[in-house]
Amino acid sequence: MAGGYVDCHCHMTAEEFSQDTADILERSRKEGVRALVSVTEHAGELESLLHLSQRYPNYVMPCFGIHPIQSKAEGYRSVTLQDLEPALEEFEKYKDHLVGVGEIGLDFTPWLAPTSKEREEQLKVFQIQLDIAKRMDLPVNVHSRSAGRQAIAFLKEQGAERVLLHNFAGRPSVALEGVQAGYFFSFPPAVANNDQREKLIRQIPMENICLETDSPALGPHRQERNEPSNIYIPCEYIARVKGLSSEKVCEVTAHNAFRLFPKIQHKLNV
């Protein structure tokens, strides 16, 4: 694909990639991925992400944040301010290396955040990281599961300007409020498996759409590990829904990614 894809949201420091990272990145280059934005979920990931971005300069672009859902030995739980604490000085220390802040946001899945106390704490953790992004003049990479309306309303209320709502699954009317605020929306390979998002994608203008894989999750086959090399799948799906060529979708989404993440544009000299 001329120019190449930009994967705006993947997890290159995920445990699933730990054994064959070099092979995965080689496949993604061959598939035409020009750059990928790798996000974190907890403070412990930053060191390995920075190390990876040093090994693959101007290719693996680091994005650091604390996810609204944290894993624990027996499953998952809603984020707390204590989870954010160790990340605060890391933001300050490594701000020049980061292209964005993320993965941050809200996850109001009923069994993961059943109480208003947990949801309020998620909002506080989100707010602090939005403030950090604003202070550092960095875009935010946002998770909004079961909280699309709340996330967009909160982002607007907080004055966030450069925003990517990754794997957005809210109503088209809610998404259009984000579009009016200048926000971007990205979609992973899993969207091609059913047509639930077709109406949503049809209504979001191309100038507000980016590509992502969210790998190792949300691939074309639920039971298989997803990789950045699958970026062509959402590209082709969006092209079909929009009645455009895949080349055009690749070109426009890459251009959108450079607008959203100016540091990537600078690193690639485009």
Side-chain angles (χ1 to χ4, degrees):
M1 189 71 68
Y5 305 98
V6 179
D7 185 346
C8 286
H9 186 107
C10 63
H11 298 257
M12 285 312 303
T13 48
E15 182 60 37
E16 291 91 331
F17 289 154
S18 61
Q19 300 304 307
D20 58 344
T21 311
D23 294 342
I24 293 159
L25 292 173
E26 183 58 32
R27 280 193 289 274
S28 70
R29 278 193 202 273
K30 281 185 178 158
E31 195 55 53
V33 178
R34 190 176 190 176
L36 44 88
V37 178
S38 188
V39 299
T40 66
E41 296 188 354
H42 57 84
E45 282 183 273
L46 181 61
E47 197 176 317
S48 50
L49 176 56
L50 291 174
H51 179 65
L52 192 61
S53 72
Q54 282 156 9
R55 276 178 58 205
Y56 298 91
N58 306 334
Y59 193 65
V60 175
M61 309 284 181
C63 195
F64 180 49
I66 305 303
H67 194 283
I69 299 299
Q70 296 289 298
S71 58
K72 54 177 182 172
E74 60 275 23
Y76 296 93
R77 60 168 174 78
S78 192
V79 73
T80 66
L81 287 163
Q82 281 84 353
D83 296 316
L84 178 61
E85 196 62 42
L88 296 176
E89 61 184 48
E90 304 275 75
F91 278 116
E92 209 56 58
K93 190 174 173 185
Y94 295 109
K95 61 184 176 189
D96 295 338
H97 299 271
L98 305 176
V99 300
V101 171
E103 179 173 356
I104 64 175
L106 301 174
D107 193 316
F108 291 170
T109 306
W111 57 91
L112 292 173
T115 69
S116 59
K117 180 181 180 295
E118 284 165 319
R119 294 175 178 207
E120 279 159 26
E121 195 153 15
Q122 276 193 29
L123 281 161
K124 188 67 185 159
V125 170
F126 191 21
Q127 182 192 355
I128 291 167
Q129 293 184 97
L130 288 174
D131 287 345
I132 288 167
K134 202 179 296 181
R135 195 172 70 245
M136 296 179 173
D137 192 27
L138 290 172
V140 287
N141 214 319
V142 175
H143 173 101
S144 59
R145 188 166 50 191
S146 301
R149 185 182 298 279
Q150 296 95 324
I152 287 177
F154 193 68
L155 285 157
K156 287 168 71 174
E157 187 187 298
Q158 297 297 312
E161 291 176 359
R162 291 208 312 276
V163 173
L164 178 70
L165 287 138
H166 108 90
N167 188 35
F168 189 78
R171 294 172 181 270
S173 59
V174 174
L176 290 175
E177 290 174 30
V179 167
Q180 284 180 325
Y183 300 164
F184 294 84
F185 296 80
S186 59
F187 301 96
V191 292
N193 291 344
N194 62 54
D195 289 329
Q196 267 186 317
R197 309 275 181 95
E198 189 173 328
K199 188 179 174 190
L200 175 66
I201 290 168
R202 195 177 290 125
Q203 292 198 34
I204 298 173
M206 261 323 295
E207 55 264 32
N208 296 82
I209 293 179
C210 292
L211 299 178
E212 65 158 290
T213 59
D214 198 25
S215 49
L218 300 184
H221 308 291
R222 189 172 243 174
Q223 66 283 9
E224 286 176 20
R225 182 182 76 172
N226 187 20
E227 293 185 10
S229 57
N230 286 323
I231 193 82
Y232 71 93
I233 297 172
C235 181
E236 289 177 358
Y237 180 78
I238 292 163
R240 182 171 70 74
V241 170
K242 293 287 196 184
L244 299 168
S245 69
S246 296
E247 287 78 11
K248 186 65 180 171
V249 172
C250 177
E251 179 194 326
V252 173
T253 53
H255 175 69
N256 293 343
F258 299 144
R259 285 196 291 137
L260 174 62
F261 296 101
K263 280 192 169 184
I264 297 181
Q265 187 169 19
H266 180 69
K267 283 171 185 273
L268 297 181
N269 294 317
V270 290

